[in-house]
Amino acid sequence: MASHGFWFTQGGENPAGNGSQSPNTPRAWCQAAAQKFTGGIGSKLCALLNVGEAEKASQAPVKTGDESPAENCGCNKPCDCSKAPACFSDLYSTDLLPALDGDAKTMNFLQEVVDILLAYIVESFDRSTKVIDFHYPNELLQRNNWELSDEPETLDDILISCRATLKYAIKTAHPRYFNQLSTGLDMVGLAADWLTSTANTNMFTYEVAPVFVLLEYVTLKKMREIIGWQDGRGDGIFSPGKAATECEACFNSSSEHFWSCSMSVGVSDDTQGGAISNMYAMLLARYKMFPEVKEKGMSSAPRLVAFTSEHSHFSIKKGAAALGIGTESVICIKADERGKMIPSDLERRIIEAKQKGCVPFFVSATAGTTVYGAFDPLIAIADICKKHDVWMHVDGAWGGSLLMSRKHRWKLNGVERANSMTWNPHKMMAVPLQCSALLVREEGLMQSCNQMQACYLFQQDKHYDLSYDTGDKALQCGRHVDIFKLWLMWRAKPQHTNVCFWYLPPGVRSLEDKVEKMKRLHKVAPVIKARMMEYGTTMVSYQPQGDKVNFFRMVISNPAASFEDIDFLIEEIERLGQDL
Amino acid sequence: MASHGFWFTQGGENPAGNGSQSPNTPRAWCQAAAQKFTGGIGSKLCALLNVGEAEKASQAPVKTGDESPAENCGCNKPCDCSKAPACFSDLYSTDLLPALDGDAKTMNFLQEVVDILLAYIVESFDRSTKVIDFHYPNELLQRNNWELSDEPETLDDILISCRATLKYAIKTAHPRYFNQLSTGLDMVGLAADWLTSTANTNMFTYEVAPVFVLLEYVTLKKMREIIGWQDGRGDGIFSPGKAATECEACFNSSSEHFWSCSMSVGVSDDTQGGAISNMYAMLLARYKMFPEVKEKGMSSAPRLVAFTSEHSHFSIKKGAAALGIGTESVICIKADERGKMIPSDLERRIIEAKQKGCVPFFVSATAGTTVYGAFDPLIAIADICKKHDVWMHVDGAWGGSLLMSRKHRWKLNGVERANSMTWNPHKMMAVPLQCSALLVREEGLMQSCNQMQACYLFQQDKHYDLSYDTGDKALQCGRHVDIFKLWLMWRAKPQHTNVCFWYLPPGVRSLEDKVEKMKRLHKVAPVIKARMMEYGTTMVSYQPQGDKVNFFRMVISNPAASFEDIDFLIEEIERLGQDL
């Protein structure tokens, strides 16, 4: 194991340790921290102890004075940190800005919070810490006072709540967290997100978010150029979240213990973003063909049908249900053994639908399906869409980011012929949650589809170019600022692998009866996952797919993960599952 | 003017000043800051200079070494700050965590970002600074390099981008920013938002967000208790934003220059949240009455009609357009002169719709309408909904927070009889953007309406209570964590006023012809607003409503605003508009 971590030492590396990942002594820890770092960093690391102590702290305030020298670092331990003492136990939120003379108190308070966060960040990347300190819901409810009372709490209590919240949070930045598509924590993205929170505005109008609106404009244009739309023309929006996934050779290789595949880009989960983007696309496709539905509803249109691969993300059906189209009008096209949509089946079903008097209006091809991570053949699909005059959408929530890769972008060849595309930089590009874009080729359509021209908001007599007031083209009214983190990260850096596999415990391996073997194998992953969460050492996702029983699907989008971490995961699965 | 600000002094207060809000000298400024604050705060304030220098900095890097002593504070000025020198010009994002030994560099970088943010916060609350440094879009595009290149930038460049972004941002926390409903910046809410970004997870499952899922559970239950639903039972979700508004005696008082009203709670804008919450409510109402629409689409249902006040938020129509119901099926009910829905008109239109063979399925009453801020009479509306068996929704995006006020909650009497309610704590409760809740009385309905049971995400063989996996009841797939800031603020504190008015410039005041007078008056507010933004001294919103020409609508939800700030706004409007 890498000796990356330096204060939480484990087992043999820490003879004085109690085995539960605590430092030798607080004083020694603080001294070590102070030696390692110049500036005020030592005191920040000191706050790490607070995280470790959150549980205790959340049960009983520990500012006892007796134990602490006059000048302590706020970590409730006697130490050499030079941090000014802070007394938050007498302060309330009303003492902070905009209170008169609230400046210093506000800065002290926010700095204390940042110290907690910095310590959490460093801890998150430390392999010797747990990924998760798991507790069942009822147990977690009882481990801290989470209730909302009618009395205000002191800032000290607020800080304790922050520590407790982080103590029980999943360390999504941990090198051994493989559970979701969105793993890892990018430091530039995080900085951008802190700035976004501080700017606290809305993507509604240029008036209230001039820079962010411009950055969205610049970034969407760049994304459309990358898609290949002429001069980057078109439209787009960053919308509130879903997702969708390549695992091109899944389930076919084998070793003694594992059936696995190693892919260039892989299995998505789907845990965020994109669902709304996909719904936007479906809404635009319907509006393009039957604009009267906006005013008159679906009764003014014939029966519309949409097409998507049987492996596509469930958001397509969710969208159809919400839009009044109905899930039964989403026709699932067969996928080949690698999970790619079969174009001939698409065309057959389109013709069939027409013969039944239905109107095909929307094809959603997937660039990176949810489980296998397959890329549908976009060129063949584009040909069919053109021939039958159907809107072509590409759900690239997961795989869209491959457009940024010279080596892999061929997988999306044909995307430039799509009418719209979902692309979630918060997944493969590791932008902090959430960041999901819908790109649209036709200019002006989003505006006319969604606008309601509320005169109290989009005053037409403003003194600047109103094309920058993007609010009325959104389905929701206001939008969170999701652009800055992507933009700033893009400025800072202009990578992936996946594995889908089963673990066959010795007891299962030896079974001859195939039906019984699959039945037993289906139960292996859930048990291992449950044990894994209780140990808290690593996290990976599992699920069944079609006729395939529960298997692990691993995404390595976390830049912190090393080969050793993958080995660790494999060994951990074997350790936790060998008795099954 | 209050002498709250202490470093950016204006005019007479700063004899050495150049009139453009810069400090006397950097050194003097740093010394003053160091004297005022203990601990490391002086150096943080020092960074404020960087914000002021962002424009220069963004045009040419200023780390020249020549000017700076060996130990400078990073603010590129000779000064006495004790901050360790930081050289970001040789560092790239790849030097930060998870890079080996990236800990110290990461902490230095994030601390630098925090210093910039802390300085921005203190500056935002300083009345002697501008609310907005306004530039037209094309001009702003040229004032900085916002483009995305193919080469990575240094961390120094990244910090310069952060400063430039803040320099041109609207100071939504400024005591004289009245432009939107969501004004002010709450320090506890901000701290919570920073923590949320750092935790970087998703509200999808208990597995990935155990604490946040529990806090949402606890908070939604508390909100339902406050609504008055038995034992806080029911369901709910925090969804991606809209909004809606009271101005009970608007347009009726008068002074020589202004026609105004002073209300307890007032005019909303609508700039965020709630639109999706309202759409959720409509979706649930349709599902409750015609569950088959989920699978079969709107063709399986009769013509559905929804009812809402003519003063309601446009999101109701937007929702109807998206859901395939059609905007023409949203029947606008007359409002009285105060903007409240007239119950007898509601009942008349319901009966009329039934006679035409339509099925009334949804009534959206507004608690705080968008422009006047009126509260619809909920008890009378509840009686009608019950009689005709129609789903009653209360859009309390703006006014819902009055439920927290012993003095004002009577305005929502009857809300406990609603089937659903939208309530946006990011507005009147000043929670950072965004935070919009939909509360539903019936348990289980959201789940059955929206679930698609994706087995790869919501594994039914997990080892914990699956009722905490809230993802499948959401319309989108993943959800941003919007709960923690509300929860933490609620723990920290367990307040409002509005004015709608016209300003009549002398030239307009003297006009006899009423038609001409209104025509001229209509143009007054846009001109004043444009001038106001160019000066950047304060911001307030304007719009027309019905037959009423453009008027100002002001919301005082910013705790930083004082009586003097209101006086300032009034004087500023008069100063900017007296020649009109």
Side-chain angles (χ1 to χ4, degrees):
Chain A
M1 186 184 302
S3 62
H4 175 80
F6 59 90
W7 57 83
F8 282 161
T9 54
Q10 270 186 325
E13 296 179 53
N14 174 14
N18 58 13
S20 67
Q21 301 171 347
S22 68
N24 298 358
T25 68
R27 176 177 291 274
W29 186 90
C30 283
Q31 282 171 342
Q35 276 166 18
K36 183 156 175 107
F37 298 109
T38 55
I41 307 296
S43 64
K44 276 159 201 81
L45 290 176
C46 224
L48 182 61
L49 286 174
N50 280 342
V51 176
E53 296 291 309
E55 192 182 345
K56 232 185 286 174
S58 65
Q59 285 160 0
V62 286
K63 292 249 154 126
T64 58
D66 303 342
E67 298 165 19
S68 312
E71 289 277 326
N72 79 50
C73 68
C75 72
N76 311 312
K77 305 273 174 190
C79 79
D80 301 334
C81 298
S82 60
K83 205 164 123 196
C87 259
F88 296 111
S89 53
D90 299 331
L91 294 178
Y92 290 85
S93 65
T94 47
D95 294 309
L96 303 177
L97 283 173
L100 205 68
D101 288 328
D103 311 46
K105 288 168 193 159
T106 299
M107 286 189 152
N108 272 323
F109 170 71
L110 289 176
Q111 186 62 53
E112 189 72 23
V113 170
V114 166
D115 290 354
I116 292 170
L117 300 180
L118 291 177
Y120 178 78
I121 290 164
V122 172
E123 192 191 358
S124 291
F125 285 97
D126 184 345
R127 287 178 174 78
S128 70
T129 67
K130 280 184 166 189
V131 170
I132 168 178
D133 182 8
F134 182 77
H135 301 278
Y136 288 90
N138 285 331
E139 197 192 351
L140 184 51
L141 268 174
Q142 286 159 15
R143 288 185 80 89
N144 192 54
N145 170 21
W146 308 107
E147 293 302 320
L148 295 166
S149 80
D150 296 333
E151 295 301 316
E153 299 198 334
T154 67
L155 293 181
D156 203 39
D157 293 326
I158 292 301
L159 292 167
I160 287 168
S161 290
C162 289
R163 292 189 195 101
T165 298
L166 289 174
K167 174 172 166 56
Y168 299 110
I170 310 298
K171 295 198 192 80
T172 59
H174 197 288
R176 291 176 185 158
Y177 176 78
F178 306 109
N179 203 63
Q180 312 288 143
L181 277 189
S182 312
T183 64
L185 182 61
D186 184 90
M187 291 303 132
V188 172
L190 179 65
D193 221 17
W194 288 358
L195 185 147
T196 302
S197 302
T198 308
N200 194 33
T201 192
N202 196 291
M203 288 302 283
F204 219 52
T205 54
Y206 180 81
E207 180 176 318
V208 300
V211 183
F212 299 129
V213 164
L214 281 188
L215 297 184
E216 185 173 79
Y217 175 86
V218 165
T219 308
L220 286 173
K221 184 165 185 290
K222 186 83 177 180
M223 292 171 90
R224 291 189 301 259
E225 284 170 4
I226 289 171
I227 290 174
W229 292 336
Q230 205 183 352
D231 303 324
R233 283 215 298 270
D235 209 339
I237 200 166
F238 282 85
S239 72
K242 157 214 110 141
T245 316
E246 170 182 5
C247 179
E248 300 200 337
C250 218
F251 310 110
N252 55 7
S253 82
S254 67
S255 72
E256 194 188 355
H257 296 184
F258 296 92
W259 303 343
S260 72
C261 80
S262 175
M263 310 174 300
S264 57
V265 155
V267 167
S268 134
D269 83 337
D270 28 44
T271 309
Q272 38 266 348
I276 302 284
S277 294
N278 287 343
M279 198 171 89
Y280 262 113
M282 201 180 278
L283 189 60
L284 287 170
R286 181 175 73 183
Y287 179 77
K288 175 75 179 169
M289 198 173 270
F290 298 100
E292 60 273 26
V293 171
K294 182 176 176 178
E295 285 84 26
K296 302 197 178 302
M298 284 293 285
S299 59
S300 66
R303 190 174 159 202
L304 303 178
V305 284
F307 304 84
T308 193
S309 141
E310 58 184 339
H311 284 231
S312 71
H313 190 261
F314 68 82
S315 64
I316 303 295
K317 287 200 169 182
K318 224 164 194 171
L323 301 186
I325 292 163
T327 55
E328 288 178 3
S329 294
V330 177
I331 296 176
C332 287
I333 306 302
K334 280 187 193 147
D336 64 18
E337 76 284 356
R338 290 184 167 197
K340 294 165 179 288
M341 188 194 284
I342 300 173
S344 59
D345 193 54
L346 171 64
E347 181 154 29
R348 185 179 69 79
R349 300 300 296 269
I350 287 177
I351 293 167
E352 194 179 274
K354 284 181 170 176
Q355 285 165 348
K356 285 182 184 163
C358 299
V359 176
F361 81 111
F362 184 77
V363 171
S364 179
T366 313
T369 60
T370 309
V371 178
Y372 285 18
F375 282 72
D376 289 344
L378 301 185
I379 292 172
I381 293 169
D383 288 342
I384 295 166
C385 287
K386 189 183 175 188
K387 183 172 166 190
H388 295 278
D389 199 23
V390 182
W391 182 286
M392 177 182 173
H393 173 66
V394 174
D395 179 358
W398 173 231
S401 297
L402 285 197
L403 289 172
M404 307 284 280
S405 158
R406 282 191 196 91
K407 186 171 169 189
H408 296 291
R409 75 161 284 148
W410 64 270
K411 291 172 186 166
L412 285 106
N413 281 353
V415 67
E416 70 283 355
R417 293 173 59 190
N419 299 89
S420 58
M421 178 187 183
T422 295
W423 178 354
N424 287 9
H426 72 222
K427 295 211 179 64
M428 205 180 294
M429 291 167 74
V431 175
L433 295 166
Q434 57 194 31
C435 190
S436 171
L438 176 72
L439 291 314
V440 183
R441 195 169 58 187
E442 181 173 332
E443 288 176 87
L445 197 64
M446 293 190 81
Q447 185 77 16
S448 55
C449 175
N450 292 320
Q451 71 184 356
M452 292 291 157
Q453 292 175 313
C455 63
Y456 52 87
L457 192 50
F458 306 110
Q459 301 91 335
Q460 297 301 301
D461 42 10
K462 284 180 178 177
H463 62 124
Y464 59 83
D465 180 355
L466 297 176
S467 69
Y468 289 96
D469 282 2
T470 62
D472 215 14
K473 71 183 184 188
L475 194 53
Q476 77 256 53
C477 184
R479 282 188 299 131
H480 187 258
V481 179
D482 292 334
I483 182 61
F484 189 63
K485 50 201 175 193
L486 170 60
W487 181 83
L488 199 67
M489 282 178 67
W490 200 321
R491 303 268 285 196
K493 59 193 85 200
Q495 89 189 254
H496 294 124
T497 69
N498 309 48
V499 187
C500 292
F501 60 89
W502 285 284
Y503 168 65
L504 279 74
V508 174
R509 232 177 290 163
S510 59
L511 284 173
E512 294 290 331
D513 182 333
K514 210 182 162 203
V515 173
E516 175 64 16
K517 190 169 183 165
M518 287 302 128
K519 207 172 144 192
R520 288 269 301 274
L521 184 55
H522 186 60
K523 293 174 182 166
V524 168
V527 173
I528 293 177
K529 174 71 176 276
R531 292 175 179 177
M532 193 180 270
M533 287 179 71
E534 287 182 24
Y535 279 97
T537 51
T538 182
M539 267 176 94
V540 67
S541 184
Y542 76 86
Q543 66 287 299
Q545 169 76 18
D547 58 354
K548 297 186 173 66
V549 301
N550 277 323
F551 56 89
F552 290 107
R553 55 175 198 161
M554 173 149 160
V555 184
I556 313 174
S557 58
N558 188 342
S562 68
F563 284 112
E564 286 76 14
D565 295 313
I566 317 300
D567 289 344
F568 179 87
L569 176 80
I570 301 299
E571 285 160 18
E572 195 71 354
I573 288 174
E574 194 163 22
R575 181 176 78 83
L576 297 170
Q578 59 184 345
D579 64 323
L580 296 176
Chain B
M1 188 184 299
S3 62
H4 176 79
F6 61 90
W7 58 82
F8 283 160
T9 55
Q10 268 187 327
E13 294 181 53
N14 175 15
N18 58 12
S20 68
Q21 300 169 349
S22 67
N24 299 358
T25 69
R27 179 175 289 273
W29 186 89
C30 283
Q31 283 171 340
Q35 277 167 16
K36 184 157 175 105
F37 298 110
T38 56
I41 307 296
S43 65
K44 274 158 203 83
L45 290 177
C46 223
L48 180 61
L49 286 174
N50 280 342
V51 176
E53 295 292 308
E55 193 182 344
K56 232 184 285 171
S58 65
Q59 286 160 358
V62 286
K63 293 249 154 128
T64 59
D66 302 343
E67 300 165 18
S68 310
E71 289 276 326
N72 79 50
C73 67
C75 70
N76 311 313
K77 305 273 174 189
C79 78
D80 303 333
C81 299
S82 60
K83 208 165 123 192
C87 258
F88 296 111
S89 52
D90 299 332
L91 295 178
Y92 290 85
S93 65
T94 46
D95 295 310
L96 303 176
L97 282 173
L100 206 67
D101 288 329
D103 312 44
K105 289 168 192 158
T106 299
M107 285 190 154
N108 272 323
F109 170 71
L110 289 176
Q111 185 62 54
E112 190 71 23
V113 171
V114 167
D115 289 355
I116 292 169
L117 300 181
L118 292 178
Y120 178 77
I121 291 164
V122 172
E123 191 192 358
S124 291
F125 285 98
D126 184 346
R127 287 178 175 77
S128 70
T129 67
K130 280 183 165 191
V131 170
I132 169 178
D133 182 6
F134 181 77
H135 301 279
Y136 289 90
N138 285 330
E139 196 191 353
L140 185 51
L141 268 173
Q142 288 159 14
R143 289 184 79 91
N144 193 54
N145 171 20
W146 307 108
E147 292 303 318
L148 295 166
S149 81
D150 296 334
E151 295 302 315
E153 299 197 333
T154 67
L155 292 182
D156 204 37
D157 292 327
I158 293 300
L159 292 168
I160 287 168
S161 290
C162 288
R163 291 188 196 101
T165 298
L166 289 175
K167 174 172 167 53
Y168 298 110
I170 311 298
K171 297 200 191 80
T172 58
H174 197 288
R176 290 175 186 160
Y177 176 77
F178 306 110
N179 203 62
Q180 310 289 143
L181 276 188
S182 311
T183 65
L185 183 61
D186 184 89
M187 292 302 133
V188 172
L190 180 64
D193 222 16
W194 288 358
L195 186 147
T196 302
S197 302
T198 309
N200 194 33
T201 194
N202 196 292
M203 290 301 285
F204 219 52
T205 55
Y206 181 81
E207 182 175 318
V208 299
V211 182
F212 298 129
V213 164
L214 280 189
L215 297 185
E216 184 173 83
Y217 175 86
V218 165
T219 307
L220 287 172
K221 184 165 186 288
K222 187 80 177 183
M223 291 171 90
R224 291 190 301 260
E225 283 170 6
I226 289 170
I227 289 173
W229 292 337
Q230 205 183 351
D231 301 324
R233 283 214 298 269
D235 209 337
I237 200 166
F238 282 85
S239 72
K242 159 215 110 142
T245 320
E246 167 182 7
C247 177
E248 299 201 338
C250 219
F251 309 110
N252 55 6
S253 82
S254 68
S255 71
E256 194 189 355
H257 297 184
F258 296 93
W259 303 343
S260 73
C261 80
S262 177
M263 308 176 301
S264 55
V265 154
V267 167
S268 136
D269 83 339
D270 28 46
T271 309
Q272 37 268 347
I276 303 284
S277 294
N278 287 342
M279 198 171 89
Y280 263 112
M282 203 181 275
L283 189 60
L284 288 170
R286 180 175 74 183
Y287 180 76
K288 175 74 180 172
M289 199 173 269
F290 299 100
E292 60 273 27
V293 171
K294 180 177 177 179
E295 284 84 26
K296 302 196 179 301
M298 283 294 285
S299 60
S300 68
R303 189 174 162 202
L304 303 178
V305 283
F307 303 83
T308 193
S309 139
E310 58 185 337
H311 285 233
S312 71
H313 189 263
F314 67 82
S315 64
I316 303 296
K317 287 199 169 182
K318 224 162 192 169
L323 301 186
I325 292 163
T327 54
E328 289 179 3
S329 293
V330 176
I331 298 177
C332 287
I333 306 302
K334 282 189 191 144
D336 64 20
E337 76 285 354
R338 291 186 166 195
K340 295 165 178 288
M341 189 194 283
I342 301 173
S344 59
D345 193 53
L346 172 64
E347 181 153 30
R348 186 178 68 79
R349 300 299 296 268
I350 288 178
I351 292 167
E352 195 178 271
K354 284 182 172 176
Q355 285 166 346
K356 286 181 183 165
C358 300
V359 177
F361 81 109
F362 184 75
V363 171
S364 180
T366 313
T369 61
T370 308
V371 178
Y372 287 16
F375 283 73
D376 289 343
L378 302 184
I379 292 172
I381 292 169
D383 288 343
I384 294 167
C385 288
K386 189 181 175 191
K387 184 173 164 189
H388 295 278
D389 198 23
V390 182
W391 181 286
M392 177 182 172
H393 174 65
V394 174
D395 180 355
W398 172 232
S401 297
L402 287 196
L403 288 172
M404 306 285 280
S405 158
R406 282 192 195 90
K407 187 172 169 190
H408 295 292
R409 75 162 284 150
W410 64 270
K411 291 170 185 166
L412 284 107
N413 281 353
V415 67
E416 70 284 354
R417 293 173 60 189
N419 298 90
S420 59
M421 178 186 182
T422 294
W423 177 354
N424 287 9
H426 72 223
K427 294 213 178 64
M428 205 179 295
M429 289 165 76
V431 174
L433 294 166
Q434 57 194 28
C435 190
S436 171
L438 176 73
L439 292 311
V440 183
R441 196 169 59 189
E442 183 174 331
E443 288 177 88
L445 197 63
M446 294 189 80
Q447 184 76 16
S448 56
C449 176
N450 291 320
Q451 72 184 357
M452 293 289 157
Q453 291 175 316
C455 63
Y456 53 87
L457 190 52
F458 306 109
Q459 302 91 337
Q460 297 300 301
D461 42 10
K462 283 180 177 175
H463 62 125
Y464 59 83
D465 179 355
L466 297 176
S467 68
Y468 288 97
D469 281 2
T470 61
D472 214 14
K473 70 183 185 187
L475 195 54
Q476 77 256 52
C477 184
R479 280 189 300 132
H480 187 258
V481 179
D482 293 334
I483 182 61
F484 189 62
K485 48 201 176 190
L486 170 61
W487 181 81
L488 199 66
M489 283 177 65
W490 200 321
R491 300 268 287 197
K493 58 194 85 199
Q495 108 200 189
H496 293 107
T497 69
N498 309 46
V499 185
C500 291
F501 60 89
W502 285 284
Y503 167 65
L504 279 75
V508 174
R509 230 177 292 163
S510 58
L511 285 174
E512 294 290 330
D513 183 333
K514 211 181 161 203
V515 172
E516 176 65 18
K517 190 169 183 165
M518 286 303 126
K519 208 173 144 192
R520 289 270 300 275
L521 184 56
H522 186 60
K523 294 172 181 168
V524 168
V527 173
I528 293 177
K529 174 71 176 276
R531 293 175 178 177
M532 191 181 272
M533 286 179 70
E534 289 183 23
Y535 280 96
T537 50
T538 181
M539 266 176 94
V540 66
S541 184
Y542 75 87
Q543 65 288 297
Q545 170 77 19
D547 58 354
K548 296 186 174 68
V549 300
N550 277 323
F551 57 89
F552 291 108
R553 54 175 199 162
M554 174 151 161
V555 185
I556 313 173
S557 58
N558 187 342
S562 68
F563 284 111
E564 286 75 14
D565 295 313
I566 316 301
D567 289 344
F568 179 85
L569 176 80
I570 300 299
E571 285 159 16
E572 195 71 353
I573 288 174
E574 194 162 22
R575 180 176 78 83
L576 296 170
Q578 59 184 344
D579 64 324
L580 296 176

